[in-house]
Amino acid sequence: MNGQRGLGNFLQIRRAQLRPEDVGLPDYGDRRRVPGLRREELALLAGVSASYYTRLEQGQSVGASPEILDAIGRALHLDEAEQRHLHDLADSVKRRAVLHCPPAEHVDSSILHLLEAFGDVPALISGRRGDVLAWNRTGHALFASHIDPAGPADAANRPNLARLAFLDPHTRALYSDWPSKARAVVENLRMTAGRHPDDALLASLVGELTMKSPEFASLWADHRVSPCDSAVYEMRHPLVGRLTVTQQSLRPTQDGERHIVLTFTEPGSPSQAALRLLAQATAPSPPTSGE
């Protein structure tokens, strides 16, 4: 994930997605030869010279100040998450990051105890790249009952939420609106890539998904970003049928690299009843007398 290319691609794609009328500029119709805004127009809106913006977009400038980046972000109509992503990309260019393999991720026992404390609320812990580091019983039953529940314990072969979303038929069928879930996964993964351009395992994951999934490749090329901290999905579970859930992501550690993903339903709803049924159906059998 080359930093200069990443920054340039992001700026170019987002500039192409803005129409002149979006920013109060005249549209010359058939006379406009480029999609979206011209570089000169974007530079004018940001208050920088056209030559400077061109060099930035082409990866030939590495010294953009936070103030200039903020001005360009405002001109591109970036939201808070997208603006943060722009700064991450610019920082990666300055660092000239070199790919390296980070150490295996792990979770502290206190976080594992917290996971179990959620009881029948489906919960899992995901790492930087979306690897499932741990899940509780109902989390496994809801998201990946077809996978060995001990899978997260094998650091080299952990289930990965992005791989499951794009390459696993069970997970694709689990979401009624799979395209919405797929977009959320990609937008969150791209934010992570902006923060960690030197992560060789993340680069490998993106390369694998790009090669194996045309849908992923298309969404990745769009350069949209979002933290996806909370989202509502309709699920079609093979055991309990349809249910509407909210997936909420919490960050229990200061570095924000590990997330606890909780899944809950509206109180008193049929979805809550379905989730309770799932918890009951997957509960361990009580010991028989004499054991």
Side-chain angles (χ1 to χ4, degrees):
M1 291 178 288
N2 181 276
Q4 291 181 330
R5 187 167 62 246
L7 175 61
N9 287 344
F10 178 71
L11 292 172
Q12 185 176 5
I13 292 296
R14 297 314 302 269
R15 175 171 59 84
Q17 292 169 344
L18 268 182
R19 298 172 300 175
E21 55 266 34
D22 293 334
V23 294
L25 294 176
D27 184 358
Y28 298 103
D30 293 338
R31 294 166 55 189
R32 180 170 288 273
R33 297 179 180 179
V34 297
L37 298 182
R38 300 184 179 93
R39 285 173 177 162
E40 314 86 75
E41 293 170 331
L42 197 284
L44 178 65
L45 292 169
V48 299
S49 70
S51 61
Y52 176 84
Y53 177 78
T54 298
R55 291 196 305 273
L56 189 65
E57 195 172 280
Q58 292 178 343
Q60 298 173 1
S61 177
V62 298
S65 68
E67 293 77 17
I68 288 178
L69 293 174
D70 287 342
I72 291 174
R74 288 191 295 270
L76 288 170
H77 289 195
L78 303 184
D79 62 23
E80 182 179 352
E82 293 165 336
Q83 187 79 279
R84 188 163 60 249
H85 182 63
L86 174 60
H87 282 264
D88 287 338
L89 292 174
D91 287 343
S92 73
V93 174
K94 295 176 184 177
R95 295 197 306 268
R96 298 185 183 275
V98 177
L99 288 178
H100 71 275
C101 286
E105 294 181 285
H106 69 280
V107 289
D108 297 333
S109 59
S110 59
I111 302 298
L112 293 175
H113 294 156
L114 176 62
L115 190 66
E116 291 304 321
F118 290 120
D120 288 341
V121 175
L124 61 82
I125 301 175
S126 69
R128 174 194 294 181
R129 293 168 292 275
D131 291 338
V132 179
L133 307 182
W135 46 27
N136 63 7
R137 175 177 50 81
T138 46
H140 169 257
L142 179 63
F143 292 109
S145 58
H146 61 304
I147 291 177
D148 183 355
D154 182 358
N157 298 286
R158 283 169 170 154
N160 178 274
L161 297 177
R163 283 195 186 93
L164 289 173
F166 284 94
L167 305 180
D168 179 58
H170 174 96
T171 303
R172 183 183 286 253
L174 195 59
Y175 291 91
S176 298
D177 185 4
W178 177 82
S180 176
K181 178 62 177 178
R183 283 194 301 274
V185 169
V186 172
E187 291 172 5
N188 185 68
L189 195 63
R190 187 168 270 289
M191 284 197 71
T192 303
R195 291 194 302 269
H196 302 285
D198 56 346
D199 188 328
L201 295 178
L202 179 57
S204 177
L205 173 64
V206 171
E208 175 192 352
L209 293 174
T210 299
M211 292 294 294
K212 293 181 178 180
S213 171
E215 296 101 330
F216 178 90
S218 177
L219 290 168
W220 188 258
D222 199 38
H223 282 263
R224 296 286 180 179
V225 295
S226 172
C228 194
D229 291 332
S230 180
V232 177
Y233 298 105
E234 182 180 283
M235 305 182 77
R236 298 174 297 194
H237 195 275
L239 186 60
V240 297
R242 291 184 179 271
L243 64 163
T244 300
V245 303
T246 297
Q247 293 178 9
Q248 181 74 47
S249 180
L250 307 175
R251 295 173 175 81
T253 57
Q254 290 184 345
D255 60 14
E257 295 297 332
R258 286 168 290 280
H259 297 198
I260 293 181
V261 181
L262 299 176
T263 301
F264 52 92
T265 58
E266 184 179 347
S269 66
S271 295
Q272 185 183 54
L275 208 54
R276 285 175 176 167
L277 178 61
L278 179 64
Q280 294 168 3
T282 58
S285 301
T288 58
S289 59
E291 289 188 356

